[in-house]
Amino acid sequence: MKKIGLFGGTFDPIHNGHLHIARAFADELNLDMVVFLPAGDPYHKADVKHAAAHHRLAMAELAVADDPRFAVSDCDIIRKGATYTFDTVQIFHQQFPTARLWWLMGMDSLLQLHTWKKWQTLVRQIHIAVAARKGDNLNQAPAELHAWLGDALQNQSLKLLNAPLYDISSTSIREQIRQGHIPAESLPESVARYITDHKLYR
Ligand code: ATP
């Protein structure tokens, strides 16, 4: 059975933390591919603090170029209106009806899962892999998630990745750039160059 990993995010910008956890995701679960899914733009226009979807998509494409298992889809960008993971997953199910789908997220996202559209149906349709994130751990999970967490960890439809902590966030990268410093150690070189060339986040 083909195993496909899906990785949704704003990727504003995509950074080495994203790439490290996506590699661990592919390695530990032996995935055939990992599809990065940059989110569409919210209704308000992109401002200096944030980059428009076409820039975030372009940076994601540059960042995945080194790993043959990685791909980028604009599926959440071209869809009109608000996009939900639930709907994205239906699209991939139709496209790959016999594949096992895995969704990657950080621990901060897992702790919010109960707020996602149709989350209880969603978790029956996909398996979920979670990367550790500084400041967040499973003990903080809200009561709504407890019963599912217990079951999912036991039946292995939820997997906590072994990848180490990567203390990198897009928020801190945007803030550093705004103050005039591009944190090269946190970004693929091609992405750092793209940010400079397009004067993003200034
Ligand atoms: P922001 O700081 O703007 O909120 P972010 O760095 O969290 O951005 P997103 O694009 O929102 O990046 O993240 C997409 C997914 O990747 C989320 O599920 C998030 O938890 C996860 N993620 C991002 N960075 C890391 C990291 N350093 N370690 C583990 N998970 C991460």
Short mmCIF file of all heavy atoms in Angstrom, two decimals, residues 115-169:
data_model
loop_
_atom_site.label_atom_id
_atom_site.label_comp_id
_atom_site.label_asym_id
_atom_site.label_seq_id
_atom_site.Cartn_x
_atom_site.Cartn_y
_atom_site.Cartn_z
N THR A 115 -10.65 21.65 17.76
CA THR A 115 -11.32 22.84 17.20
C THR A 115 -11.41 22.74 15.67
O THR A 115 -11.98 23.61 15.03
CB THR A 115 -10.54 24.14 17.55
OG1 THR A 115 -9.25 24.10 16.89
CG2 THR A 115 -10.33 24.28 19.05
N TRP A 116 -10.83 21.70 15.08
CA TRP A 116 -10.83 21.56 13.62
C TRP A 116 -12.18 21.05 13.13
O TRP A 116 -12.83 20.27 13.81
CB TRP A 116 -9.74 20.58 13.17
CG TRP A 116 -8.34 21.06 13.37
CD1 TRP A 116 -7.89 22.00 14.26
CD2 TRP A 116 -7.16 20.58 12.69
NE1 TRP A 116 -6.53 22.15 14.15
CE2 TRP A 116 -6.06 21.29 13.20
CE3 TRP A 116 -6.94 19.62 11.70
CZ2 TRP A 116 -4.75 21.07 12.75
CZ3 TRP A 116 -5.65 19.41 11.25
CH2 TRP A 116 -4.57 20.14 11.77
N LYS A 117 -12.55 21.47 11.93
CA LYS A 117 -13.81 21.04 11.32
C LYS A 117 -13.87 19.50 11.24
O LYS A 117 -12.96 18.87 10.74
CB LYS A 117 -13.91 21.64 9.91
CG LYS A 117 -15.14 21.23 9.13
CD LYS A 117 -15.13 21.83 7.74
CE LYS A 117 -16.17 21.18 6.84
NZ LYS A 117 -16.09 21.66 5.45
N LYS A 118 -14.98 18.94 11.77
CA LYS A 118 -15.25 17.49 11.71
C LYS A 118 -14.05 16.66 12.16
O LYS A 118 -13.73 15.64 11.53
CB LYS A 118 -15.64 17.08 10.28
CG LYS A 118 -16.91 17.76 9.77
CD LYS A 118 -17.40 17.11 8.49
CE LYS A 118 -18.54 17.89 7.87
NZ LYS A 118 -18.92 17.43 6.55
N TRP A 119 -13.41 17.08 13.24
CA TRP A 119 -12.16 16.41 13.61
C TRP A 119 -12.35 14.94 13.92
O TRP A 119 -11.48 14.12 13.62
CB TRP A 119 -11.45 17.14 14.77
CG TRP A 119 -12.07 16.94 16.12
CD1 TRP A 119 -13.06 17.69 16.69
CD2 TRP A 119 -11.73 15.93 17.09
NE1 TRP A 119 -13.36 17.21 17.94
CE2 TRP A 119 -12.56 16.13 18.21
CE3 TRP A 119 -10.82 14.88 17.12
CZ2 TRP A 119 -12.51 15.33 19.35
CZ3 TRP A 119 -10.76 14.07 18.25
CH2 TRP A 119 -11.61 14.30 19.36
N GLN A 120 -13.53 14.62 14.48
CA GLN A 120 -13.72 13.21 14.88
C GLN A 120 -13.86 12.29 13.67
O GLN A 120 -13.48 11.13 13.73
CB GLN A 120 -14.92 13.10 15.82
CG GLN A 120 -14.63 13.88 17.09
CD GLN A 120 -15.70 13.83 18.13
OE1 GLN A 120 -15.96 12.78 18.71
NE2 GLN A 120 -16.34 14.95 18.35
N THR A 121 -14.41 12.84 12.57
CA THR A 121 -14.45 12.06 11.32
C THR A 121 -13.05 12.03 10.71
O THR A 121 -12.58 10.98 10.25
CB THR A 121 -15.44 12.72 10.32
OG1 THR A 121 -16.66 12.95 11.00
CG2 THR A 121 -15.66 11.82 9.12
N LEU A 122 -12.41 13.19 10.72
CA LEU A 122 -11.06 13.31 10.15
C LEU A 122 -10.10 12.25 10.73
O LEU A 122 -9.39 11.58 9.98
CB LEU A 122 -10.53 14.73 10.42
CG LEU A 122 -9.13 15.04 9.93
CD1 LEU A 122 -9.11 15.11 8.41
CD2 LEU A 122 -8.64 16.37 10.51
N VAL A 123 -10.11 12.10 12.04
CA VAL A 123 -9.13 11.18 12.65
C VAL A 123 -9.44 9.71 12.34
O VAL A 123 -8.60 8.84 12.59
CB VAL A 123 -8.99 11.38 14.19
CG1 VAL A 123 -8.47 12.78 14.47
CG2 VAL A 123 -10.30 11.12 14.92
N ARG A 124 -10.62 9.45 11.81
CA ARG A 124 -10.90 8.07 11.37
C ARG A 124 -10.44 7.86 9.93
O ARG A 124 -10.33 6.74 9.47
CB ARG A 124 -12.39 7.76 11.51
CG ARG A 124 -12.75 7.36 12.94
CD ARG A 124 -14.20 6.92 13.07
NE ARG A 124 -14.97 7.94 13.77
CZ ARG A 124 -16.01 8.59 13.28
NH1 ARG A 124 -16.45 8.34 12.07
NH2 ARG A 124 -16.63 9.50 14.01
N GLN A 125 -10.21 8.96 9.21
CA GLN A 125 -9.83 8.84 7.80
C GLN A 125 -8.32 8.88 7.57
O GLN A 125 -7.84 8.45 6.53
CB GLN A 125 -10.47 9.98 7.01
CG GLN A 125 -11.99 9.93 7.05
CD GLN A 125 -12.59 11.05 6.24
OE1 GLN A 125 -12.00 12.11 6.10
NE2 GLN A 125 -13.77 10.81 5.71
N ILE A 126 -7.60 9.49 8.49
CA ILE A 126 -6.16 9.61 8.31
C ILE A 126 -5.44 9.16 9.58
O ILE A 126 -6.04 9.09 10.65
CB ILE A 126 -5.72 11.09 8.07
CG1 ILE A 126 -6.40 12.01 9.08
CG2 ILE A 126 -5.94 11.52 6.64
CD1 ILE A 126 -5.76 13.36 9.17
N HIS A 127 -4.17 8.90 9.43
CA HIS A 127 -3.31 8.69 10.59
C HIS A 127 -2.55 10.00 10.83
O HIS A 127 -2.35 10.78 9.90
CB HIS A 127 -2.36 7.53 10.35
CG HIS A 127 -3.04 6.20 10.39
ND1 HIS A 127 -2.36 5.00 10.37
CD2 HIS A 127 -4.35 5.88 10.45
CE1 HIS A 127 -3.22 4.01 10.44
NE2 HIS A 127 -4.44 4.51 10.48
N ILE A 128 -2.15 10.23 12.05
CA ILE A 128 -1.53 11.51 12.40
C ILE A 128 -0.15 11.28 13.03
O ILE A 128 -0.01 10.41 13.91
CB ILE A 128 -2.43 12.31 13.37
CG1 ILE A 128 -3.75 12.68 12.66
CG2 ILE A 128 -1.72 13.57 13.89
CD1 ILE A 128 -4.74 13.40 13.53
N ALA A 129 0.82 12.03 12.56
CA ALA A 129 2.16 12.01 13.16
C ALA A 129 2.41 13.37 13.79
O ALA A 129 2.06 14.41 13.21
CB ALA A 129 3.21 11.71 12.10
N VAL A 130 3.00 13.36 14.97
CA VAL A 130 3.19 14.61 15.72
C VAL A 130 4.66 14.80 16.07
O VAL A 130 5.32 13.89 16.57
CB VAL A 130 2.36 14.59 17.03
CG1 VAL A 130 2.54 15.89 17.80
CG2 VAL A 130 0.89 14.38 16.70
N ALA A 131 5.15 16.00 15.78
CA ALA A 131 6.53 16.35 16.15
C ALA A 131 6.50 17.16 17.43
O ALA A 131 5.62 18.00 17.64
CB ALA A 131 7.16 17.17 15.02
N ALA A 132 7.50 16.92 18.28
CA ALA A 132 7.61 17.67 19.53
C ALA A 132 7.80 19.14 19.23
O ALA A 132 8.38 19.51 18.21
CB ALA A 132 8.81 17.15 20.33
N ARG A 133 7.29 19.98 20.11
CA ARG A 133 7.49 21.41 19.94
C ARG A 133 7.71 22.02 21.31
O ARG A 133 7.00 21.69 22.27
CB ARG A 133 6.25 22.04 19.28
CG ARG A 133 6.60 23.37 18.68
CD ARG A 133 6.05 23.61 17.32
NE ARG A 133 6.77 24.73 16.76
CZ ARG A 133 6.25 25.62 15.97
NH1 ARG A 133 4.98 25.54 15.62
NH2 ARG A 133 6.99 26.61 15.51
N LYS A 134 8.68 22.92 21.39
CA LYS A 134 9.05 23.51 22.68
C LYS A 134 7.83 24.14 23.34
O LYS A 134 7.09 24.89 22.71
CB LYS A 134 10.12 24.57 22.44
CG LYS A 134 10.85 24.94 23.71
CD LYS A 134 11.98 25.89 23.43
CE LYS A 134 12.56 26.40 24.72
NZ LYS A 134 13.35 27.59 24.54
N GLY A 135 7.64 23.83 24.63
CA GLY A 135 6.57 24.46 25.38
C GLY A 135 5.24 23.71 25.34
O GLY A 135 4.32 24.06 26.07
N ASP A 136 5.13 22.71 24.47
CA ASP A 136 3.85 21.99 24.37
C ASP A 136 4.08 20.50 24.61
O ASP A 136 5.00 19.93 24.06
CB ASP A 136 3.24 22.16 22.97
CG ASP A 136 2.85 23.60 22.70
OD1 ASP A 136 1.97 24.09 23.42
OD2 ASP A 136 3.45 24.22 21.81
N ASN A 137 3.23 19.90 25.44
CA ASN A 137 3.32 18.44 25.54
C ASN A 137 1.95 17.82 25.76
O ASN A 137 0.97 18.50 26.08
CB ASN A 137 4.34 18.02 26.59
CG ASN A 137 3.90 18.38 27.97
OD1 ASN A 137 2.95 17.79 28.50
ND2 ASN A 137 4.55 19.37 28.57
N LEU A 138 1.91 16.52 25.56
CA LEU A 138 0.65 15.77 25.53
C LEU A 138 -0.15 15.91 26.82
O LEU A 138 -1.38 15.83 26.81
CB LEU A 138 0.99 14.30 25.25
CG LEU A 138 0.02 13.49 24.40
CD1 LEU A 138 -0.42 14.23 23.16
CD2 LEU A 138 0.65 12.15 24.04
N ASN A 139 0.55 16.15 27.95
CA ASN A 139 -0.15 16.30 29.23
C ASN A 139 -1.09 17.51 29.24
O ASN A 139 -1.97 17.60 30.08
CB ASN A 139 0.85 16.48 30.39
CG ASN A 139 1.79 15.31 30.49
OD1 ASN A 139 1.41 14.20 30.11
ND2 ASN A 139 3.01 15.56 30.96
N GLN A 140 -0.85 18.44 28.32
CA GLN A 140 -1.70 19.64 28.28
C GLN A 140 -2.93 19.44 27.40
O GLN A 140 -3.69 20.38 27.18
CB GLN A 140 -0.89 20.82 27.72
CG GLN A 140 0.35 21.16 28.53
CD GLN A 140 1.35 21.96 27.73
OE1 GLN A 140 1.38 21.90 26.50
NE2 GLN A 140 2.20 22.71 28.42
N ALA A 141 -3.12 18.24 26.88
CA ALA A 141 -4.24 18.01 25.95
C ALA A 141 -5.58 18.29 26.64
O ALA A 141 -5.79 17.90 27.79
CB ALA A 141 -4.21 16.58 25.44
N PRO A 142 -6.49 18.98 25.97
CA PRO A 142 -7.79 19.28 26.56
C PRO A 142 -8.64 18.01 26.69
O PRO A 142 -8.42 17.03 25.96
CB PRO A 142 -8.42 20.24 25.55
CG PRO A 142 -7.72 19.98 24.27
CD PRO A 142 -6.34 19.53 24.63
N ALA A 143 -9.59 18.07 27.61
CA ALA A 143 -10.41 16.89 27.92
C ALA A 143 -11.08 16.31 26.68
O ALA A 143 -11.22 15.09 26.55
CB ALA A 143 -11.46 17.26 28.96
N GLU A 144 -11.48 17.18 25.75
CA GLU A 144 -12.17 16.71 24.53
C GLU A 144 -11.36 15.68 23.76
O GLU A 144 -11.90 14.87 23.02
CB GLU A 144 -12.45 17.88 23.56
CG GLU A 144 -13.46 18.88 24.05
CD GLU A 144 -12.81 20.08 24.74
OE1 GLU A 144 -11.86 19.87 25.54
OE2 GLU A 144 -13.26 21.20 24.48
N LEU A 145 -10.03 15.76 23.89
CA LEU A 145 -9.18 14.87 23.10
C LEU A 145 -8.80 13.58 23.84
O LEU A 145 -8.28 12.65 23.22
CB LEU A 145 -7.89 15.60 22.69
CG LEU A 145 -8.03 16.77 21.70
CD1 LEU A 145 -6.67 17.43 21.48
CD2 LEU A 145 -8.59 16.29 20.36
N HIS A 146 -9.07 13.53 25.15
CA HIS A 146 -8.51 12.44 25.95
C HIS A 146 -8.86 11.04 25.45
O HIS A 146 -7.98 10.20 25.26
CB HIS A 146 -8.92 12.57 27.42
CG HIS A 146 -8.18 13.66 28.14
ND1 HIS A 146 -8.40 13.99 29.45
CD2 HIS A 146 -7.21 14.51 27.70
CE1 HIS A 146 -7.60 15.00 29.80
NE2 HIS A 146 -6.88 15.32 28.75
N ALA A 147 -10.14 10.80 25.21
CA ALA A 147 -10.57 9.44 24.84
C ALA A 147 -9.93 9.03 23.51
O ALA A 147 -9.35 7.94 23.38
CB ALA A 147 -12.09 9.38 24.73
N TRP A 148 -9.98 9.95 22.56
CA TRP A 148 -9.37 9.64 21.25
C TRP A 148 -7.87 9.41 21.38
O TRP A 148 -7.32 8.45 20.80
CB TRP A 148 -9.66 10.75 20.24
CG TRP A 148 -8.79 10.60 19.03
CD1 TRP A 148 -8.90 9.64 18.06
CD2 TRP A 148 -7.66 11.40 18.68
NE1 TRP A 148 -7.88 9.77 17.14
CE2 TRP A 148 -7.11 10.85 17.50
CE3 TRP A 148 -7.04 12.51 19.25
CZ2 TRP A 148 -5.98 11.39 16.88
CZ3 TRP A 148 -5.92 13.05 18.65
CH2 TRP A 148 -5.39 12.50 17.47
N LEU A 149 -7.19 10.26 22.13
CA LEU A 149 -5.73 10.13 22.28
C LEU A 149 -5.34 8.75 22.81
O LEU A 149 -4.44 8.10 22.27
CB LEU A 149 -5.18 11.20 23.25
CG LEU A 149 -4.95 12.60 22.69
CD1 LEU A 149 -4.56 13.56 23.82
CD2 LEU A 149 -3.88 12.58 21.60
N GLY A 150 -6.07 8.30 23.83
CA GLY A 150 -5.77 6.98 24.41
C GLY A 150 -5.91 5.90 23.36
O GLY A 150 -5.00 5.06 23.18
N ASP A 151 -7.03 5.91 22.64
CA ASP A 151 -7.27 4.89 21.61
C ASP A 151 -6.24 4.97 20.49
O ASP A 151 -5.70 3.96 20.05
CB ASP A 151 -8.66 5.07 20.97
CG ASP A 151 -9.77 4.74 21.94
OD1 ASP A 151 -9.46 4.15 23.01
OD2 ASP A 151 -10.93 5.08 21.64
N ALA A 152 -6.00 6.20 20.02
CA ALA A 152 -5.18 6.38 18.82
C ALA A 152 -3.72 6.01 19.09
O ALA A 152 -3.04 5.45 18.23
CB ALA A 152 -5.29 7.81 18.33
N LEU A 153 -3.25 6.30 20.31
CA LEU A 153 -1.88 5.91 20.63
C LEU A 153 -1.77 4.39 20.69
O LEU A 153 -0.79 3.80 20.25
CB LEU A 153 -1.44 6.53 21.96
CG LEU A 153 -1.11 8.03 21.89
CD1 LEU A 153 -0.99 8.61 23.31
CD2 LEU A 153 0.17 8.27 21.10
N GLN A 154 -2.83 3.78 21.21
CA GLN A 154 -2.80 2.33 21.33
C GLN A 154 -2.88 1.64 19.96
O GLN A 154 -2.13 0.72 19.68
CB GLN A 154 -3.94 1.87 22.23
CG GLN A 154 -3.71 0.46 22.69
CD GLN A 154 -4.70 0.03 23.74
OE1 GLN A 154 -5.75 0.65 23.93
NE2 GLN A 154 -4.38 -1.05 24.42
N ASN A 155 -3.80 2.11 19.11
CA ASN A 155 -3.94 1.44 17.80
C ASN A 155 -2.98 2.01 16.75
O ASN A 155 -3.03 1.63 15.59
CB ASN A 155 -5.39 1.44 17.33
CG ASN A 155 -5.89 2.85 17.00
OD1 ASN A 155 -5.11 3.73 16.60
ND2 ASN A 155 -7.18 3.06 17.14
N GLN A 156 -2.12 2.91 17.19
CA GLN A 156 -1.05 3.45 16.35
C GLN A 156 -1.53 4.24 15.14
O GLN A 156 -0.83 4.37 14.15
CB GLN A 156 -0.09 2.35 15.92
CG GLN A 156 0.57 1.74 17.13
CD GLN A 156 1.63 0.69 16.79
OE1 GLN A 156 2.13 0.64 15.69
NE2 GLN A 156 1.95 -0.14 17.75
N SER A 157 -2.74 4.78 15.23
CA SER A 157 -3.17 5.74 14.19
C SER A 157 -2.64 7.13 14.55
O SER A 157 -2.77 8.08 13.78
CB SER A 157 -4.70 5.76 14.05
OG SER A 157 -5.30 6.11 15.27
N LEU A 158 -2.07 7.25 15.74
CA LEU A 158 -1.36 8.48 16.15
C LEU A 158 0.05 8.09 16.54
O LEU A 158 0.25 7.18 17.36
CB LEU A 158 -2.06 9.11 17.36
CG LEU A 158 -1.36 10.32 17.98
CD1 LEU A 158 -1.34 11.50 17.02
CD2 LEU A 158 -2.07 10.73 19.28
N LYS A 159 1.02 8.77 15.93
CA LYS A 159 2.42 8.40 16.18
C LYS A 159 3.18 9.64 16.62
O LYS A 159 3.10 10.69 15.96
CB LYS A 159 2.97 7.83 14.87
CG LYS A 159 4.45 7.84 14.75
CD LYS A 159 5.05 6.45 14.98
CE LYS A 159 6.55 6.51 14.82
NZ LYS A 159 7.28 5.78 15.82
N LEU A 160 3.88 9.55 17.75
CA LEU A 160 4.73 10.66 18.18
C LEU A 160 6.12 10.42 17.58
O LEU A 160 6.74 9.39 17.84
CB LEU A 160 4.81 10.71 19.71
CG LEU A 160 3.45 10.80 20.43
CD1 LEU A 160 3.67 10.86 21.96
CD2 LEU A 160 2.65 12.01 19.98
N LEU A 161 6.57 11.33 16.75
CA LEU A 161 7.84 11.14 16.06
C LEU A 161 9.00 11.22 17.05
O LEU A 161 8.92 11.93 18.06
CB LEU A 161 8.02 12.20 14.96
CG LEU A 161 7.03 12.13 13.80
CD1 LEU A 161 7.26 13.29 12.83
CD2 LEU A 161 7.13 10.80 13.05
N ASN A 162 10.10 10.54 16.73
CA ASN A 162 11.29 10.58 17.59
C ASN A 162 12.19 11.78 17.32
O ASN A 162 13.18 11.96 18.01
CB ASN A 162 12.12 9.31 17.39
CG ASN A 162 11.40 8.10 17.92
OD1 ASN A 162 10.84 8.14 19.01
ND2 ASN A 162 11.37 7.03 17.14
N ALA A 163 11.86 12.56 16.31
CA ALA A 163 12.71 13.70 15.94
C ALA A 163 12.96 14.59 17.16
O ALA A 163 12.06 14.79 17.98
CB ALA A 163 12.03 14.51 14.85
N PRO A 164 14.17 15.14 17.30
CA PRO A 164 14.44 16.04 18.42
C PRO A 164 13.66 17.35 18.29
O PRO A 164 13.02 17.60 17.27
CB PRO A 164 15.95 16.29 18.31
CG PRO A 164 16.31 15.98 16.92
CD PRO A 164 15.34 14.96 16.42
N LEU A 165 13.75 18.17 19.33
CA LEU A 165 13.10 19.49 19.30
C LEU A 165 13.84 20.44 18.37
O LEU A 165 15.07 20.52 18.45
CB LEU A 165 13.15 20.11 20.70
CG LEU A 165 12.02 19.87 21.67
CD1 LEU A 165 12.32 20.62 22.96
CD2 LEU A 165 10.70 20.32 21.09
N TYR A 166 13.14 21.12 17.54
CA TYR A 166 13.75 22.18 16.73
C TYR A 166 13.09 23.48 17.14
O TYR A 166 11.92 23.70 16.83
CB TYR A 166 13.53 21.91 15.23
CG TYR A 166 14.16 20.63 14.78
CD1 TYR A 166 13.40 19.50 14.54
CD2 TYR A 166 15.55 20.54 14.62
CE1 TYR A 166 13.98 18.31 14.14
CE2 TYR A 166 16.14 19.34 14.23
CZ TYR A 166 15.35 18.24 13.99
OH TYR A 166 15.93 17.06 13.60
N ASP A 167 13.83 24.31 17.85
CA ASP A 167 13.24 25.53 18.38
C ASP A 167 13.27 26.64 17.32
O ASP A 167 14.04 27.59 17.44
CB ASP A 167 13.98 25.94 19.66
CG ASP A 167 13.29 27.09 20.36
OD1 ASP A 167 12.15 27.41 19.97
OD2 ASP A 167 13.90 27.68 21.27
N ILE A 168 12.45 26.47 16.30
CA ILE A 168 12.38 27.44 15.21
C ILE A 168 10.90 27.71 14.94
O ILE A 168 10.11 26.77 14.93
CB ILE A 168 12.99 26.86 13.90
CG1 ILE A 168 14.41 26.36 14.12
CG2 ILE A 168 12.94 27.87 12.77
CD1 ILE A 168 15.04 25.69 12.89
N SER A 169 10.53 28.97 14.74
CA SER A 169 9.16 29.26 14.33
C SER A 169 9.18 30.36 13.28
O SER A 169 10.09 31.19 13.25
CB SER A 169 8.31 29.70 15.52
OG SER A 169 8.65 31.02 15.90
#
